[in-house]
């Protein structure tokens, strides 16, 4: 339990989890805390509901998911206000988050049948007398554990795809944003009221741990790398498969032929939207020597114009009060180890706010370069050329997303980034493209949400062969004769032995 009663820190009162605004301390949500038994029962109810939901088929689910999408779109302002009230996120940022989530619901609903539905698969000469059939069947109940920083977009990245694939879902929202999680569940129940297909359980980390051990058939986790390790360990006890979307320390590379105004604009957005509390946020920048000074000036000019405050500002409060200490430590460490603050700096940390901070010449081994900061801060370091930039960008255990600005070499550089995703001449945009998979490598996790891979993540491949004719070269039978085996050897030599 969070010990310090700062605005934004959730508290438990009489068995209820109470979330508060990090800016004002005003209560945002009050929800019953689930016991271990409650979690198990929620999963059992979901199991039954899942059978009904799977039975609707792709068409029935598509129609209902599209109705849910319409409800989300109609109530976008209401949901954005709640995201703002509970997490402190500026309303405009919340709108962008929800728009992206709605797009994912739409795409998952429309494409699940095509991607996961039964289809014939070509046979090969060796088994030409058989036809192949493939389909992706639902797991049953998928447990989803989500973070607070994108309390709509992040769970929906798993929830919409898992539902479209025919699973029931039990969501454990972050203790910092339970009301947003419950809002999603309640709005879904307005469209699908017959069975508890999508429900939530609330509480602290122990409720998440209980969900891992509750008998869910798959667990989709989004959160920190440290918690991901605990989730995997718990799921290992029952061989429950997991999908891990963990933290990042994404780099941006600015090459010599980049449009510097566009690069600076995207850099400030990618690093400071949502006060920098973005898993795929730009945290480190490597700019090549010839354009370094001009680029830094442009970033400082733009970031210096951003407003900070509770209402109507570009940058809101830090959602999780304890994160302020991490941000302060990173800034202090960067400055004391030889880095320079060209905007903000140690004085920029004014809880619950952190003002935009741009640090240059920061040693590559400092915490500000190596660890997830999750604040409106950027380190910008000078590199000789794009090759050095790639080497430095790839030097961390994290590998979530990344960005490259440039013309001639930009796509080639993006391909060399050790990450699951990259944006060329933009930042963060891959997250909104529902046709593309989303996920990381290394400490950033494994498995994919979004796109076709994201749908397949929530379906078990079911492979069927069907005999179409008698076998000319019978081999998989004790009825085979020595002549059959001789013929088989000759055929194999003819087909593969050249
Ligand atoms: P945490 O890892 O602290 O928490 C994530 C979720 O796990 C919360 O719901 C939390 O519950 C729950 N949890 C905590 N302990 C356990 C446990 N032992 N077993 C099971 N579940 C548990 O992450 P944050 O909420 O702080 O989110 C920020 C992190 O998420 C950052 O590292 C960020 O990069 C990452 N992230 C990754 C994304 C991606 O797609 N790759 C997207 C968004 C964020 P509770 O809140 O109650 O403690």
């Amino acid at each position: 339990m969070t010990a310090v009663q700062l605005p934004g820190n959730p508290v438990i009162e009489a068995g209820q989890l109470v979330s508060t605004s990090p800016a004002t301390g005003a209560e945002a949500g009050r929800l019953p805390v689930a016991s271990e038994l409650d979690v198990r029962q929620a999963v059992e109810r979901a199991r039954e509901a899942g059978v009904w939901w799977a039975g609707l088929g792709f068409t029935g689910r598509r129609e209902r998911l599209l109705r849910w999408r319409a409800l989300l779109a109609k109530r976008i302002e209401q949901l954005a206000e709640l995201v703002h009230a509970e997490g402190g996120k500026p309303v405009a940022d919340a709108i962008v988050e929800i728009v992206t989530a709605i797009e994912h619901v739409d795409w998952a609903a429309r494409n699940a049948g095509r991607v996961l539905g039964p289809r014939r698969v070509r046979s090969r000469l060796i088994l030409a007398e058989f036809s192949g059939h493939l389909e992706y069947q639902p797991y049953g109940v998928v447990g989803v554990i989500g973070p607070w920083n994108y309390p709509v977009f992040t769970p929906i990245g798993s929830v919409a795809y898992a539902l479209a694939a025919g699973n029931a879902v039990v969501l454990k929202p972050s203790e910092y944003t339970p009301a947003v999680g419950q809002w999603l569940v309640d709005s879904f129940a307005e469209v699908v009221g017959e069975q508890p297909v999508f429900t939530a359980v609330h509480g602290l980390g122990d409720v998440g741990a209980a969900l891992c051990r509750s008998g869910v058939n798959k667990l989709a986790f989004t959160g920190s790398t440290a918690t991901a390790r605990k989730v995997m360990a718990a799921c290992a006890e029952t061989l429950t498969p997991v999908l891990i979307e963990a933290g990042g320390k994404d780099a941006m590379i600015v090459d010599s032929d980049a449009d510097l105004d566009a690069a600076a604009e995207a850099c400030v957005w990618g690093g400071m939207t949502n006060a920098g509390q973005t898993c795929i946020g730009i945290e480190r920048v490597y700019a090549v020597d010839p354009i370094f000074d001009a680029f830094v000036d442009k970033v400082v000019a733009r970031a210096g114009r951003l407003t900070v405050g509770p209402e109507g500002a570009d940058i809101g409060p830090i959602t999780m009060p304890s994160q302020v200490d991490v941000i302060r430590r990173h800034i202090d460490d960067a400055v004391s180890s030889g880095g320079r603050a060209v905007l903000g700096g140690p004085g920029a940390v004014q809880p619950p706010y952190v003002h935009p901070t741009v640090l240059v010449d920061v040693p590559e081994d400092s915490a500000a370069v190596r660890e997830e900061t999750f604040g409106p801060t950027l380190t910008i370091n000078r590199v000789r050329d794009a090759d050095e930039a790639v080497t430095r960008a790839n030097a961390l255990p994290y590998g979530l997303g990344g960005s490259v600005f440039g013309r001639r070499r930009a796509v080639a550089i993006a391909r060399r980034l050790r990450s699951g995703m990259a944006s060329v001449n933009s930042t963060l945009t891959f997250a909104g493209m529902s046709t593309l998979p989303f996920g990381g490598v290394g400490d950033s996790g494994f498995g994919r949400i979004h796109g076709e891979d994201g749908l397949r993540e929530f379906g078990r491949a079911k492979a069927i062969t069907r005999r179409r004719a008698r076998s000319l070269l019978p081999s998989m039978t004790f009825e085979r004769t020595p002549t059959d085996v001789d013929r088989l050897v000759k055929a194999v030599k003819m087909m593969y032995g050249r």
Side-chain angles (χ1 to χ4, degrees):
M1 179 60 222
T2 319
V4 190
Q5 299 308 314
L6 290 170
N9 272 341
V11 290
I12 292 184
E13 282 175 13
Q16 304 272 312
L17 175 65
V18 183
S19 61
T20 57
S21 157
T24 65
E27 181 174 325
R30 184 174 284 260
L31 291 145
V33 173
S35 67
E36 213 176 311
L37 181 64
D38 293 333
V39 175
R40 270 210 305 277
Q41 287 176 340
V43 171
E44 282 321 306
R45 282 195 300 274
R47 206 178 308 286
E48 269 176 46
V51 173
W52 172 80
W53 180 245
L56 292 178
F58 291 107
T59 316
R61 293 195 295 271
R62 170 192 158 117
E63 185 264 323
R64 284 165 173 82
L65 283 166
L66 290 179
R67 273 202 279 141
W68 185 40
R69 173 217 58 185
L71 201 67
L72 293 171
K74 277 185 205 131
R75 297 196 189 147
I76 188 165
E77 292 100 336
Q78 185 196 21
L79 181 55
E81 284 298 336
L82 181 59
V83 170
H84 169 64
E86 194 171 49
K89 179 178 293 189
V91 173
D93 276 350
I95 296 268
V96 175
E97 172 183 354
I98 300 163
V99 167
T100 314
I102 290 170
E103 160 61 20
H104 282 290
V105 176
D106 186 74
W107 191 86
R110 290 182 189 281
N111 289 279
R114 175 181 62 81
V115 177
L116 305 176
R119 63 190 161 96
R120 285 279 289 271
V121 175
R122 279 172 70 104
S123 184
R124 299 261 295 168
L125 201 53
I126 192 83
L127 282 174
E129 69 276 27
F130 292 90
S131 59
H133 302 255
L134 173 63
E135 66 182 289
Y136 292 83
Q137 297 179 345
Y139 278 88
V141 185
V142 172
V144 175
I145 298 180
W148 46 265
N149 62 339
Y150 285 83
V152 177
F153 166 77
T154 310
I156 278 190
S158 296
V159 170
Y161 289 77
L163 288 172
N167 303 280
V169 172
V170 178
L171 167 68
K172 154 64 179 76
S174 164
E175 68 201 48
Y176 290 85
T177 53
V180 172
Q182 190 60 45
W183 191 101
L184 295 175
V185 163
D186 291 344
S187 62
F188 184 81
E190 283 186 47
V191 174
V192 182
E194 300 95 323
Q195 297 264 354
V197 171
F198 173 32
T199 52
V201 288
H202 299 286
L204 310 181
D206 59 313
V207 176
L211 186 59
C212 298
R213 296 190 167 94
S214 62
V216 290
N217 303 103
K218 180 152 189 170
L219 197 290
F221 172 82
T222 308
S224 64
T225 307
T227 310
R229 291 196 171 93
K230 294 184 196 163
V231 164
M232 276 191 79
C235 289
E237 291 167 17
T238 48
L239 282 192
T240 302
V242 290
L243 159 73
I244 300 289
E245 297 289 349
K249 187 73 183 173
D250 286 0
M252 171 172 173
I253 294 175
V254 188
D255 203 1
S256 53
D257 56 357
D259 174 340
L260 294 190
D261 286 302
E265 182 266 317
C267 177
V268 172
W269 161 258
M272 299 188 181
T273 179
N274 194 26
Q277 306 167 106
T278 306
C279 55
I280 49 167
I282 299 300
E283 298 218 352
R284 312 175 279 153
V285 185
Y286 297 105
V288 298
D289 181 60
I291 51 84
F292 181 84
D293 293 323
F295 174 71
V296 171
D297 287 348
K298 287 177 191 293
V299 169
V300 169
R302 281 181 166 75
R305 286 200 293 270
L306 298 181
T307 55
V308 180
E311 298 297 333
D314 298 310
I315 295 183
I318 298 304
T319 304
M320 194 167 66
S322 60
Q323 192 66 26
V324 173
D325 296 331
V326 176
I327 301 168
R328 184 186 288 116
R329 176 168 64 79
H330 287 192
I331 296 176
D332 289 350
D333 180 52
V335 172
S336 64
S337 60
R340 281 183 301 124
V342 288
L343 180 70
V349 182
Q350 299 166 20
Y353 301 98
V354 176
H355 290 254
T357 290
V358 179
L359 303 156
V360 297
D361 302 333
V362 185
E364 290 289 312
D365 61 355
S366 76
V369 175
R370 296 195 65 84
E371 297 171 22
E372 201 174 29
T373 306
F374 246 45
T377 66
L378 289 162
T379 65
I380 311 183
N381 279 347
R382 188 189 297 268
V383 286
R384 213 175 35 250
D385 53 24
D387 285 342
E388 186 183 0
V390 171
T391 304
R392 292 204 198 184
N394 289 350
L396 297 190
Y398 286 124
L400 195 51
S403 164
V404 182
F405 268 78
R407 290 197 177 86
R408 273 175 306 126
R409 293 174 294 250
V411 171
I413 295 168
R415 293 182 62 221
R416 287 169 60 200
L417 282 179
R418 180 182 164 275
S419 69
M421 303 149 298
S423 303
V424 171
N425 294 331
S426 69
T427 49
L428 320 188
T429 39
F430 47 75
M433 198 172 283
S434 50
T435 44
L436 280 178
F438 182 106
V441 303
D443 276 8
S444 294
F446 52 82
R448 293 293 180 265
I449 53 173
H450 303 175
E452 296 191 2
D453 295 86
L455 281 168
R456 284 189 207 102
E457 193 73 45
F458 295 104
R460 288 189 181 110
K462 177 67 179 270
I464 299 173
T465 51
R466 182 179 179 188
R467 182 180 288 284
R468 294 192 303 188
R470 204 173 58 83
S471 295
L472 294 176
L473 289 172
S475 59
M476 292 178 168
T477 166
F478 288 120
E479 311 285 309
R480 68 195 165 205
T481 63
T483 316
D484 289 331
V485 176
D486 282 349
R487 277 208 214 113
L488 184 65
V489 169
K490 277 195 193 109
V492 165
K493 284 187 175 164
M494 228 165 65
M495 280 158 54
Y496 305 117
R498 284 170 286 141

